[in-house]
Amino acid sequence: MGATLSSRVQWAASNAAATQQTADHQQSQGNLQTSIVNQDLFHELIHLIETLVTQHATEAKAEFKRPLQWTSVSLRPSHFSAAAAAGSGIWTITTPTPKNPKASVTSVATRADGSPLFTLEQQHHAAAGGGAGSSDSATFIAKVANFEYLNKVLKIADEMKLRELQDILQANPTPINTIFGISGSNSNTVLIDAFEAFSTETDPKKKEINGRLYKLLLIINSFDLDLLSAAVKNQEREMHLDIPKVSSELQMLQSFSGKDSKCALVSINWESEYTFANGFKAPPWRQVYGEICYIEVQCADADKFIVTATKDGFFVNKGYSADDKGHEKLNYEKDSPSFLTLVDLLKSKSEHFSARIDKQDYLYQPENVGVQIGTTVTISDAKDAHDSKRDEASSEDDEQEIHAGNRQKDVRKNAGTKKKTKGTTKSRTTTEPSLKWRALGITEEAVAAKYKRDKGAVNGDRRNTDGSKKSTVNRARSAPNEEESSESEGEASSDEEVQEKRNDNNELPAEYYQILKLVKYLRCGNQTATIIAICSLRDFDLNNEFNQLAIRDVGGLDTLVNLLDTDDPKCKIGALKILKDISKNVQIRTAIANLDGMQPLVELLRDSDEEIKCLAAETIANCAKNAHNRRSVRKYGGIKKLVRLLKVKPGSKEEAVAVSGALALATCSKSSKNKEAIQAAGSIPLLANLLESTNEALLIPVVGILQECSSDENYRMAIRTSGMIKFLVENLSSSNEELQTHCASAIFKCAEEDETRNLVRQYDGLLPLVNLLDNPTNKELLAAATGAVWKCAQNLENVAAFNKLNTIKKLISLMENQPEDVLVNVVGALGACAQTLDGRQGIRESNGITPLVGLLTGTNQSLLVNVTTAVGACALDGDSMVVIDRLDGVRLLWSLLKSPNPQVQASAAWAISPCIEHAKDAGEMVRSFVGGLELIVSLLKSDQSEVLASVCAAIANIAKDEENLAVITDHGVVPMLGKLTNTRSDKLRKHLAEAIARCCHWGNNRVAFGAASAVAPLVKYLKSPDEEVHRSTARALHQLSMDADNCITMHENGVVQLLLGMVGSSDPELQEAAAGTIGNIRRLALASEKASMST
């Protein structure tokens, strides 16, 4: 990242001078060129950073003298949510609020000066303009202060990490100056300057920091030398072009091509796919002139032309022209100057390309796959490979996917057009199938070999039926395996985990050979024979797995997909009926994904024949259970087409089309990106309209869409505001259990907001929800119903209504012999009901305390969070606390403080507080737990705000007992509490101040708090808008003011003026504490005056 980097990086020519002049100030106005050299350099830098972090972990943690700062185009706070949700705990994500509309991400780890090692902050003007909800269009400034966190950030950027590196280098043209704090412009003396700084430093801490930086500099310098050596070797090789170099640049440009105006090119591809034995694509009689290959280019602002690649560079030839006999031939004559790179040639040829090429984003490929001659790689192939490795986190752009699909389609179309042209002229080259199709095993030779293996020697004819538009071979592509696909979607709902079972029996049944014959007739090309073969195939039991796989094994699946492109509606309908039945099989869905069969299915959604549209939608509904197929439906514009099928009047004849469309959308909605696409297509009013139907076959998939999509906040708001809650409540009383399940599940997810809970009560939805608890046999319905009850019970008015409906008794009866998802919801509902006095009494009278305490020994983390909450709420009742104590519930709660899950720790600590407060002889009970006090004090080292607040609340109750207070003081509770006083969380401030107030009652703790610098930050708490914070803070200040030094500190920080306004508060406790504090300060002042007068 030193001199070699600065010399190798390629800047745009118009800004190169300005960039060089401003490099010392780390403010570059220039842009990096889009070139294969820069792309390779970025890959080398990523390799350096990853190697540095893995092999030199200590040096990677060394703090930069100045952080690298850049404007990030691709990173957003949402990309860090997946890491935070996974429990990594290294990021703090701030979501926009009306008071603070700026989103931000900071690392939990900090530098020596206390600032985060990484920050991502939204700029002021973007936040003001876009509001809290426009983070996608906002501008974010990123700062990173060591290589460890730079590597983490680049991993989160995933396929956009090359773009992030580009932004970093543009903002920091000489990054080594920033990292090591070099002010001069001469970076050649970096090692000398760093060594002098290291050797002359006397401060041990600074010397240690400089030592790590010096080691880091040596490592980077070593890499710089390797980079220089590689550059010299590359320079020697680059004196002449070869086919791998041309292929690399061609593939890069293919990733920037498409019909969209933002793309640099419309299309670019080999003029011929044929490759000679030496790897060249130029014919032998042209190779003697140094020609390597020919490239066909279509620019947005120019006609299609042919580029010749030679060993010395690139030039445009005169293209195709007709000879005397009308035969079209390629004129190899030079028609332009020569250029060293293809990018330079295209810049001179097209203004559109020149204006947009440097604005394209590189696509990161984590594995360096060798170039395969004769294989065309498109952006969609690369994107699919990256999608299969990415978490839904992911930041994939649907529009880019569509353009990528269009580019792939254009390549196929252009190839077909070219083949047709060649058929009318003298053949120039003999096209052979690329390695990609050979690997898939769908070439003629592979199919023939497969048939020979299955049944002697079978003719593998690959001809289409009459009227076929194109072959599946042109459309087929390699799809990632299902495990990878489901990772890319970020969904756990994909059912593609079943492994293929091979039949080892060599004797195949007669049906296998009959299907083989019928498939052969499908391929014969005779329309009548094709229809007869389809009808005969439908006579087989297509729900039988063996018959389904037999159709695939004998090559019938790709033929059926081909038939979808015919012009004969009977062939389409017959093929769709077979595909609809066999696509219920997991392996068939995967095979359809490999054939890219979703594209013709999506196209059929626009057919004028309603039966074809219905069958296509139902087939998509089956196939979309495969995550790769779901992504393909979105990619080919299928979401909008499916939503259009919902535009029918309930009860009309067209309702069958809507049923099929809703079934497909219900399956597609298992993907988060598809949910966004469904809403963007205007589905909400159409779904609301269809809810008025009385047809359960339509209502089930419609409500299924709603319950899948209601996990998204925007959907919940749309469902609430469009009046769909009423229909969901009404259908809870349906006789169809599947419809009831979908409705209850939708309410479960929508009731996250209190407005929805009120609507459910207003529409009399609580009674049917409670009635659903009487059906314990249907576990799926029970899980949905108990979940809905749980969320609705978080409204106190709903709790009162549930108490009248005897809900608590029904819930307690469901706490035995139920799956964990039901138990989580049941216990959550009991915890919500226990927030009221009647609820706690109802749980105790129904003998619910015993099963609740028994669940404290479980391992399910979500269940433990809900159980501890419920037990803590029940502990507010004195009689219930007696039962909890008798069952040793407090000890079980205390043991959960050892859980590695911070949510379990926090909920256990919250539950311990009321247990201590309402237990008889609580002090002795707490002391009986061996190591319990030390454990709870140690949790003050947690970095989770919720854990800290709950522990402080527990310590405030523990400190009421003098002996326990003495023990926790010996364990160092005072300095630990003092370190937490700089928090900005009002919830933590409230309980922290209360804990400090209680701890002041022992020994010299008041003096110790002053020595721990805890007094001044407490004064700032009085500026909080929360009155409960004022009350607990005033109590703490009152206790601390009994020490003279603390009084002086309070007075210096302006506490008197703040407390004077609180003396007139309506809260008597706040009045008393504020007045007492002021009185202590005043008495100290009078004593000081008296002492000064006496002297």
Side-chain angles (χ1 to χ4, degrees), residues 100 124 159 238 348 443 489 865 972 1032 1044:
N100 180 23
H124 293 278
E159 66 182 32
E238 286 173 2
S348 69
T443 60
E489 288 287 333
V865 170
S1032 59

Side-chain angles (χ1 to χ4, degrees), residues 52 56-65 179-180 190-191 193-220:
L52 185 63
H56 306 279
T58 304
E59 288 74 18
K61 295 179 180 179
E63 297 177 10
F64 299 162
K65 288 289 187 178
I179 294 172
F180 299 102
V190 174
L191 282 171
D193 295 341
F195 180 76
E196 290 180 355
F198 169 66
S199 59
T200 58
E201 183 60 58
T202 57
D203 188 339
K205 290 185 178 179
K206 291 183 178 180
K207 188 165 186 177
E208 181 183 357
I209 294 173
N210 288 344
R212 285 200 300 267
L213 277 175
Y214 187 65
K215 291 180 182 178
L216 177 62
L217 180 58
L218 291 176
I219 295 169
I220 293 177

Side-chain angles (χ1 to χ4, degrees), residues 335-398:
D335 195 33
S336 76
S338 293
F339 296 87
L340 293 177
T341 67
L342 192 53
V343 171
D344 291 338
L345 184 149
L346 295 177
K347 282 184 177 180
S348 69
K349 191 72 176 176
S350 168
E351 293 182 2
H352 177 91
F353 179 87
S354 180
R356 286 165 176 77
I357 182 61
D358 290 330
K359 298 178 182 178
Q360 304 298 309
D361 292 336
Y362 296 106
L363 192 63
Y364 176 66
Q365 298 179 354
E367 296 180 359
N368 294 325
V369 181
V371 177
Q372 294 181 350
I373 308 304
T375 302
T376 300
V377 180
T378 62
I379 180 64
S380 60
D381 297 325
K383 204 162 185 61
D384 284 340
H386 286 286
D387 285 347
S388 67
K389 295 180 181 178
R390 177 132 188 182
D391 179 320
E392 200 95 167
S394 95
S395 60
E396 180 185 13
D397 189 347
D398 289 343

Side-chain angles (χ1 to χ4, degrees), residues 88 118 205 252 390 397 434 656 664 786 805 886 1058:
S88 61
F118 172 77
K205 290 185 178 179
M252 180 187 75
R390 177 132 188 182
D397 189 347
S434 68
T786 52
L805 297 172
R886 187 179 71 247
L1058 295 170

Side-chain angles (χ1 to χ4, degrees), residues 192-472:
I192 299 174
D193 295 341
F195 180 76
E196 290 180 355
F198 169 66
S199 59
T200 58
E201 183 60 58
T202 57
D203 188 339
K205 290 185 178 179
K206 291 183 178 180
K207 188 165 186 177
E208 181 183 357
I209 294 173
N210 288 344
R212 285 200 300 267
L213 277 175
Y214 187 65
K215 291 180 182 178
L216 177 62
L217 180 58
L218 291 176
I219 295 169
I220 293 177
N221 185 65
S222 175
F223 169 78
D224 203 46
L225 293 176
D226 293 339
L227 202 62
L228 180 60
S229 176
V232 172
K233 292 180 181 179
N234 287 336
Q235 187 67 29
E236 294 175 354
R237 289 197 303 267
E238 286 173 2
M239 294 178 67
H240 293 289
L241 283 177
D242 55 19
I243 195 70
K245 294 175 186 175
V246 177
S247 299
S248 297
E249 191 165 12
L250 174 67
Q251 290 174 18
M252 180 187 75
L253 291 174
Q254 281 178 332
S255 69
F256 303 149
S257 62
K259 290 186 177 180
D260 190 85
S261 59
K262 296 179 182 179
C263 296
L265 289 169
V266 175
S267 65
I268 182 170
N269 207 342
W270 300 116
E271 185 275 336
S272 170
E273 293 291 341
Y274 186 76
T275 303
F276 291 90
N278 61 355
F280 284 20
K281 292 180 176 292
W285 62 88
R286 297 303 304 177
Q287 292 182 24
V288 297
Y289 297 103
E291 295 179 4
I292 300 173
C293 58
Y294 309 100
I295 300 169
E296 189 177 68
V297 182
Q298 175 67 67
C299 296
D301 55 353
D303 294 334
K304 189 176 294 184
F305 57 91
I306 307 295
V307 175
T308 298
T310 70
K311 294 181 179 180
D312 298 324
F314 299 87
F315 63 82
V316 179
N317 60 42
K318 291 192 175 181
Y320 288 102
S321 59
D323 60 11
D324 297 337
K325 297 181 181 180
H327 294 168
E328 193 177 51
K329 292 184 177 180
L330 181 60
N331 189 338
Y332 300 103
E333 188 177 345
K334 190 174 182 180
D335 195 33
S336 76
S338 293
F339 296 87
L340 293 177
T341 67
L342 192 53
V343 171
D344 291 338
L345 184 149
L346 295 177
K347 282 184 177 180
S348 69
K349 191 72 176 176
S350 168
E351 293 182 2
H352 177 91
F353 179 87
S354 180
R356 286 165 176 77
I357 182 61
D358 290 330
K359 298 178 182 178
Q360 304 298 309
D361 292 336
Y362 296 106
L363 192 63
Y364 176 66
Q365 298 179 354
E367 296 180 359
N368 294 325
V369 181
V371 177
Q372 294 181 350
I373 308 304
T375 302
T376 300
V377 180
T378 62
I379 180 64
S380 60
D381 297 325
K383 204 162 185 61
D384 284 340
H386 286 286
D387 285 347
S388 67
K389 295 180 181 178
R390 177 132 188 182
D391 179 320
E392 200 95 167
S394 95
S395 60
E396 180 185 13
D397 189 347
D398 289 343
E399 185 177 352
Q400 290 181 359
E401 281 189 345
I402 294 171
H403 296 324
N406 291 336
R407 288 196 289 272
Q408 190 179 18
K409 189 175 178 181
D410 293 337
V411 171
R412 293 195 301 266
K413 185 176 179 182
N414 292 338
T417 304
K418 188 188 304 176
K419 186 180 292 184
K420 184 176 179 181
T421 303
K422 291 180 181 181
T424 62
T425 64
K426 185 176 180 179
S427 176
R428 293 189 300 274
T429 58
T430 302
T431 302
E432 290 186 352
S434 68
L435 299 178
K436 184 177 180 181
W437 308 132
R438 291 183 185 276
L440 282 173
I442 57 174
T443 60
E444 294 180 5
E445 295 84 352
V447 173
K450 183 176 180 60
Y451 286 161
K452 289 177 182 179
R453 288 195 304 270
D454 289 339
K455 182 191 175 188
V458 181
N459 182 18
D461 188 5
R462 302 288 294 166
R463 286 177 294 172
N464 260 342
T465 305
D466 289 345
S468 178
K469 299 175 184 175
K470 53 190 174 182
S471 169
T472 306

Side-chain angles (χ1 to χ4, degrees), residues 1063-1080:
V1063 172
S1065 171
S1066 58
D1067 185 345
E1069 293 185 14
L1070 177 58
Q1071 277 185 340
E1072 183 179 353
T1077 305
I1078 295 173
N1080 289 338

